[in-house]
């Protein structure tokens, strides 16, 4: 049966305390595909108290018991692959190739990497005459976004379970269907009552209430920097831990010794993946000034090869933006870039030719961008690439670091030692050399206004643990 109108609290699907609902819109058709219930403070309180009640027993489970639970979760997740693909494609417009190749598999990858980390993780150590213990922090509020829904849900739920925490999850109300299926997966896997709870709702009515709740010990939030600030302020009165993965404006430095054709074409595709709706997208491409025009030509040609259209088609490269609000935001930033003097190389305002419905944006490349322009400072979250020329390598590094964000950075070079040296000078939590493969064992998180804390594998587990020092433990 459908659980769209229910919340998962204390091991059961229950009715919400209020009657508010919201339609889930397919961004490719602009039509409602489901209606979900919206929660409020009383629903949050029930979920938090269920988690509090379950914490005493679940926090004392053994490593082996939690590993067995995660293994069952992984099995149930894999069994629901087709349902998850359909949900993520319809609720946020992910093309089938992306849904099957990345959006859904990455959730399983996080569960696997957490399982591997849990198998060898040290929860205690003896130092001199004392014992140092890492123990679960308590009840955790998990607030996840719409752009990579399964990535962020799994990256939070898996380490919370692995460390013996209990939790309440609030997925994005824009793309909630994957979250509901994930709750069904945990139910089928036999997660004990109260350990995992799901309440759908808006940020102000559910997310902020979770952050403020005195019985919540920790908040793990992924979303915009603006929303992250609100969450942190809401949590401050109860001095709870807040771990955040926020916005980004990631530089992609193409060094002079890089293969220009390869580096630029890959950079364009990486920027435009998921229709540019990724916090770590390489949106600022820095190229040697002498090669600027050649790089722009490569970027223009690459952008024109990308097919924008029906997410249900196997050969679609880019689907729509997630909502009308996101579409209007992206259009506004494109218009601002033109007004501020950036050179429009390809794309621009409006939908692609032949598309008159859905929140589709044109793959857009701006050339001759100055790092002080709005398009180089603000996170666009759409298929928009800025190309910035630089004179010297030092200038490239200075431009790359001249941002309030610090989530990710990218370096392209024909000399690995050269790339390594530049990577070490970039102020970002994640640096990728020559388009390296995604790795869920590498810590993910940002510097500056891109957040705090780290996710993935054992790094993610650390955020869900308190450290206790016991002096005189050894006689």
């Amino acid at each position: 049966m459908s659980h769209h109108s229910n919340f998962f609290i204390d091991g059961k699907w229950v009715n919400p305390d209020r009657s508010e609902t919201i339609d889930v819109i397919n961004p490719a058709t602009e039509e409602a595909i489901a209606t979900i219930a919206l929660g409020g403070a009383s629903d949050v309180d029930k979920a938090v108290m269920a988690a509090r009640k379950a914490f005493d027993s679940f926090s004392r489970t053994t490593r082996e018991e939690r590993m067995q639970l995660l293994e069952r979760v992984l099995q149930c997740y894999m069994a629901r692959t087709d349902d998850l693909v359909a949900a993520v494609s319809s609720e946020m417009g992910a093309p089938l190739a992306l849904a099957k190749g990345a959006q859904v598999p990455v959730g399983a990858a996080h569960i696997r990497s957490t399982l591997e980390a849990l198998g060898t993780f040290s929860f205690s150590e003896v130092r001199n005459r004392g014992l140092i213990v890492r123990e679960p922090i308590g009840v955790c509020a998990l607030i996840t976004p719409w752009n990579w829904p399964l990535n962020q849900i799994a990256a939070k739920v898996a380490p919370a379970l692995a460390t013996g925490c209990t939790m309440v999850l609030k997925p994005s109300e824009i793309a909630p269907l994957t979250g509901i299926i994930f709750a069904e997966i945990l139910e089928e896997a036999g997660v004990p009552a109260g350990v995992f709870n799901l309440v759908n709702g808006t940020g102000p009515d559910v997310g902020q209430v979770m952050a403020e709740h005195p019985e919540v010990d920790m908040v793990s939030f992924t979303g915009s920097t603006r929303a992250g600030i609100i969450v942190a302020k809401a949590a401050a009165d109860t001095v709870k831990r807040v771990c955040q993965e926020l916005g980004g404006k990631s530089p992609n430095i193409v060094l002079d010794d890089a293969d220009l054709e390869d580096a630029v074409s890959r950079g364009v595709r990486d920027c435009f993946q998921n229709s540019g709706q990724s916090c770590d997208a390489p949106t600022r491409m820095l190229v040697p000034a002498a090669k600027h025009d050649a790089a722009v030509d490569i970027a223009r040609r690459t952008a024109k090869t990308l097919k924008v259209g029906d997410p249900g088609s196997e050969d679609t490269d880019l689907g729509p933006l997630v909502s009308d609000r996101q579409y209007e935001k992206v259009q506004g930033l494109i218009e601002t870039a033109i007004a501020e003097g950036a050179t429009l190389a390809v794309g621009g305002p409006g939908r692609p030719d032949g598309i008159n419905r859905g929140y589709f944006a044109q793959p857009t490349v701006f050339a001759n961008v100055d790092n002080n322009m709005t398009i180089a400072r603000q996170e666009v979250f759409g298929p928009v690439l800025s190309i910035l020329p630089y004179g010297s390598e030092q200038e490239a590094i200075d431009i790359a670091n001249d941002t309030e964000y610090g989530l990710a950075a990218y370096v392209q070079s024909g000399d690995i030692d050269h790339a390594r040296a530049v990577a070490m000078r970039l102020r970002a939590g994640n640096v990728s050399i020559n388009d390296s493969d995604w790795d869920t064992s590498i810590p993910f998180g940002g510097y500056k206004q891109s957040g705090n804390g780290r996710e993935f594998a054992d790094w993610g587990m650390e955020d869900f643990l308190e450290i206790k020092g016991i002096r005189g433990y050894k006689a």
Side-chain angles (χ1 to χ4, degrees), residues 171-468:
S172 168
E173 70 276 17
I174 296 173
L177 305 183
T178 42
I180 292 171
I181 295 173
F182 200 90
E184 294 171 349
I185 288 168
L186 294 189
E187 179 186 29
E188 184 179 354
V191 172
V195 169
F196 171 87
N197 305 272
L198 169 80
V199 177
N200 279 310
T202 66
D205 290 340
V206 173
Q208 187 169 340
V209 174
M210 289 165 61
E212 293 171 346
H213 202 291
E215 290 292 338
V216 167
D217 300 295
M218 176 263 203
V219 181
S220 180
F221 172 84
T222 299
S224 69
T225 297
R226 177 192 58 78
I229 292 169
I230 295 171
V231 167
K233 288 180 176 179
D237 284 344
T238 47
V239 199
K240 55 174 62 76
R241 184 183 300 173
V242 179
C243 300
Q244 300 177 314
E245 191 262 282
L246 306 175
K249 195 66 185 175
S250 303
N252 182 10
I253 301 178
V254 179
L255 294 171
D256 194 51
D257 57 10
D259 180 324
L260 193 69
E261 180 80 31
D262 180 60
V264 172
S265 59
R266 282 190 288 106
V268 170
R269 292 189 181 92
D270 288 347
C271 178
F272 291 167
Q273 185 193 44
N274 205 37
S275 297
Q277 299 171 127
S278 298
C279 51
D280 61 344
T283 54
R284 291 185 296 146
M285 181 180 288
L286 281 59
V287 300
K291 298 182 177 181
H292 173 270
D293 291 350
V296 172
D297 181 63
I298 295 166
R300 181 190 298 112
R301 288 190 278 108
T302 304
K304 287 183 175 181
T305 67
L306 300 174
K307 180 181 177 182
V308 181
D310 178 12
S313 175
E314 294 282 358
D315 63 348
T316 293
D317 296 302
L318 305 184
L321 299 174
V322 76
S323 66
D324 56 348
R325 181 177 178 181
Q326 187 64 23
Y327 177 83
E328 292 301 330
K329 176 193 172 186
V330 172
Q331 297 304 307
L333 287 167
I334 291 173
E335 295 280 9
T336 297
I338 294 171
E340 291 183 355
T343 302
L344 181 62
V346 68
R351 295 184 177 92
D353 291 342
I355 298 178
N356 55 22
R357 189 183 191 191
Y359 310 126
F360 295 91
Q362 296 188 66
T364 298
V365 176
F366 284 106
N368 294 302
V369 174
D370 182 277
N371 203 47
N372 293 316
M373 291 179 177
T374 302
I375 201 68
R377 309 302 298 182
Q378 289 190 19
E379 186 175 39
V380 179
F381 237 56
V384 181
L385 172 68
S386 298
I387 299 182
L388 296 79
Y390 65 84
S392 66
E393 187 170 295
Q394 180 61 52
E395 183 185 11
I397 293 169
D398 290 343
I399 292 171
N401 290 334
D402 180 18
T403 172
E404 65 188 21
Y405 298 111
L407 183 59
Y410 302 76
V411 181
Q412 317 300 327
S413 175
D415 181 339
I416 187 63
D417 290 331
H418 188 191
R420 289 168 177 160
V422 172
M424 294 298 292
R425 299 185 62 194
L426 298 177
R427 298 285 295 167
N430 306 265
V431 182
S432 174
I433 294 175
N434 292 334
D435 202 28
S436 54
D437 292 337
W438 186 248
D439 188 341
T440 55
S441 71
I442 300 294
F444 189 81
Y447 289 15
K448 299 186 278 189
Q449 291 190 33
S450 286
N452 50 66
R454 291 296 181 267
E455 294 187 308
F456 299 4
D458 51 322
W459 306 99
M461 291 168 60
E462 293 280 3
D463 279 346
F464 290 89
L465 294 168
E466 284 283 23
I467 299 175
K468 176 187 292 180

